[in-house]
C-alpha cells in the first residue's frame, strides 16, 4: 500500500539478533490460535476506541481512489452466514466509497503480534480499478513504517497477485522486495482461497492455499508486533467508467497464530 506518512521503528528492533528460523512448512496443529475473526457479526467503528476493528488506517485514514466509508447498516460491510462482504460503489455524485478494516486503533490499541502466522480466506473481485488487499503494519511507527503486503490484487491483471515487503523510512529511504505470485493460471481468484504469511526473526514467508509461494529475509524493522488490515480499495488512476459498480470482496475469516 502507498503510505502517506513515513515514520520509523526504534533502534531496539534493529539491534535484535536474527535467530529462530521456523522452516518453510505450515503446521497449524503446532501453533496456537491467537486471533480469530469468523465474521458471524462485525465489531467495527470508524475510529474506535473499544471496537475490534476500525474503518480507516490508524495513522491517516484513506488512500487510493475511493474514500473508506464510516460503517453504517448495510454499507460498506455486511455479514451473512459467517462471510464478510466489503462493497465498493459510487454515490449519486459519482464519488467512490469502499471499506477498510484495521485491527488496531489510532492509539495502537487492539490486536498486534510479533512473529507468527497470519491468514485470511477470501474471494476477490475482477475489473478495472479494483484493488483488494490483506496486509500488516508494524505497531511502532516512531522512526519507520514496516509493511508486509500479503496480498495485493489488481482486478484488471487477474493472472496473479503481488506479495511485497517494505520499510518506509522517515528520511525518504525505502526498502522493498516483492514477487508476482502467478497462481491464477490454475486457480480462480473469484473463488475462496487462503492468503497467509509466516514471520519469524529470519524469514517472511508467503503462502497461497497453504503452499509456500515466496520468502524473503526478515528486516530488523519487521521484528515487532504487526497488526492486520483488510480492504477493498480502488487504484488512483483507474478509469471509473470501467470499474464494476458495485464491486465486492468476500472474506470468510481472518486468523493469527503464534509459533510454538
Amino acid at each position: 500500500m502507498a503510505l502517506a506518512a513515513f515514520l520509523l521503528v526504534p533502534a531496539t528492533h534493529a539491534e535484535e539478533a536474527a535467530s529462530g528460523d521456523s522452516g518453510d512448512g505450515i503446521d497449524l496443529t503446532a501453533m496456537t490460535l491467537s486471533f480469530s475473526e469468523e465474521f458471524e457479526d462485525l465489531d467495527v467503528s470508524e475510529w474506535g476506541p473499544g471496537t475490534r476493528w476500525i474503518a480507516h488506517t490508524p495513522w491517516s485514514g484513506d488512500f487510493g481512489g475511493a474514500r473508506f466509508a464510516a460503517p453504517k447498516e448495510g454499507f460498506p460491510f455486511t455479514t451473512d452466514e459467517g462471510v464478510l462482504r466489503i462493497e465498493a460503489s459510487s454515490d449519486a455524485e459519482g464519488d467512490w466509497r469502499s471499506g477498510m478494516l484495521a485491527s488496531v486503533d489510532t492509539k495502537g490499541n487492539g490486536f498486534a503480534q510479533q512473529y507468527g502466522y497470519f491468514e485470511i480466506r477470501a474471494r476477490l473481485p475482477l475489473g478495472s480499478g479494483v484493488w483488494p488487499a490483506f496486509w500488516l503494519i508494524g505497531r511502532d511507527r516512531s522512526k519507520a513504517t514496516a509493511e508486509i503486503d500479503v496480498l495485493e490484487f489488481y482486478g484488471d491483471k487477474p493472472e496473479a497477485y503481488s506479495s511485497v515487503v517494505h520499510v518506509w523510512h522517515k528520511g525518504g529511504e525505502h526498502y522493498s522486495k516483492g514477487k508476482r505470485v502467478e497462481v491464477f493460471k490454475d486457480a480462480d481468484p473469484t473463488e475462496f482461497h487462503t492468503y497467509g504469511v509466516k514471520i519469524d526473526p529470519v524469514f517472511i514467508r508467503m503462502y497461497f492455499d497453504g503452499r509456500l509461494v515466496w520468502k524473503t529475509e526478515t528486516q530488523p524493522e519487521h521484528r515487532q508486533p504487526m497488526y492486520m488490515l483488510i480492504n477493498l480499495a480502488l487504484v488512483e488512476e483507474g478509469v471509473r467508467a470501467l470499474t464494476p459498480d458495485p464491486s465486492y470482496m468476500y472474506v470468510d475469516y481472518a486468523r493469527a497464530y503464534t509459533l510454538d
Side-chain angles (χ1 to χ4, degrees):
M1 311 274 53
L3 301 180
F6 308 134
L7 300 171
L8 266 245
V9 172
T12 52
H13 295 301
E15 294 164 359
E16 287 185 13
S19 62
D21 186 349
S22 60
D24 289 347
I26 286 291
D27 180 4
L28 298 183
T29 65
M31 302 179 191
T32 299
L33 185 68
S34 54
F35 180 93
S36 178
E37 174 60 85
E38 304 301 321
F39 296 114
E40 295 299 332
D41 51 24
L42 185 63
D43 183 20
V44 61
S45 61
E46 187 168 17
W47 293 107
T51 52
R52 192 172 215 196
W53 303 93
I54 65 168
H56 299 278
T57 63
W59 59 89
S60 64
D62 298 350
F63 60 84
R67 177 171 55 87
F68 293 128
K72 63 181 182 181
E73 185 68 28
F75 186 83
F77 310 112
T78 58
T79 58
D80 183 32
E81 296 185 349
V83 175
L84 169 71
R85 188 186 76 181
I86 306 176
E87 177 179 339
S89 60
S90 63
D91 61 19
E93 287 72 43
D95 295 323
W96 280 82
R97 301 170 301 151
S98 189
M100 147 79 69
L101 295 176
S103 67
V104 303
D105 64 19
T106 58
K107 304 297 184 183
N109 299 314
F111 176 78
Q113 179 175 289
Q114 183 180 27
Y115 307 138
Y117 180 64
F118 305 77
E119 181 182 87
I120 66 167
R121 184 172 183 261
R123 292 173 50 195
L124 309 177
L126 300 180
S128 175
V130 293
W131 184 21
F134 171 47
W135 45 308
L136 311 179
I137 292 287
R139 186 161 58 189
D140 191 331
R141 300 178 62 248
S142 60
K143 293 183 179 178
T145 294
E147 177 176 348
I148 300 174
D149 299 328
V150 185
L151 160 71
E152 281 192 275
F153 181 74
Y154 299 93
D156 60 344
K157 300 177 178 66
E159 70 282 353
Y161 68 92
S162 296
S163 291
V164 189
V165 298
H166 299 282
V167 181
W168 307 86
H169 295 282
K170 184 178 181 181
E173 302 90 349
H174 175 210
Y175 170 90
S176 181
K177 283 190 177 181
K179 180 180 175 66
R180 284 285 284 168
V181 182
E182 297 183 349
V183 294
F184 294 134
K185 296 175 182 178
D186 301 313
D188 183 350
T190 67
E191 298 297 327
F192 276 114
H193 298 283
T194 61
Y195 303 88
V197 60
K198 185 171 66 165
I199 310 165
D200 64 34
V202 183
F203 285 107
I204 296 170
R205 294 173 168 90
M206 304 290 183
Y207 299 84
F208 174 78
D209 284 344
R211 175 171 60 89
L212 180 71
V213 290
W214 181 57
K215 69 179 179 181
T216 188
E217 297 84 358
T218 304
Q219 298 304 298
E221 294 84 359
H222 291 105
R223 298 183 191 128
Q224 63 159 309
M226 310 286 290
Y227 60 88
M228 296 187 289
L229 304 102
I230 304 167
N231 62 264
L232 175 55
L234 267 63
V235 296
E236 292 272 13
E237 65 274 15
V239 180
R240 294 294 171 263
L242 301 179
T243 303
D245 185 5
S247 291
Y248 301 112
M249 177 184 185
Y250 296 90
V251 187
D252 183 27
Y253 62 74
R255 297 172 184 161
Y257 301 79
T258 57
L259 305 178
D260 296 341

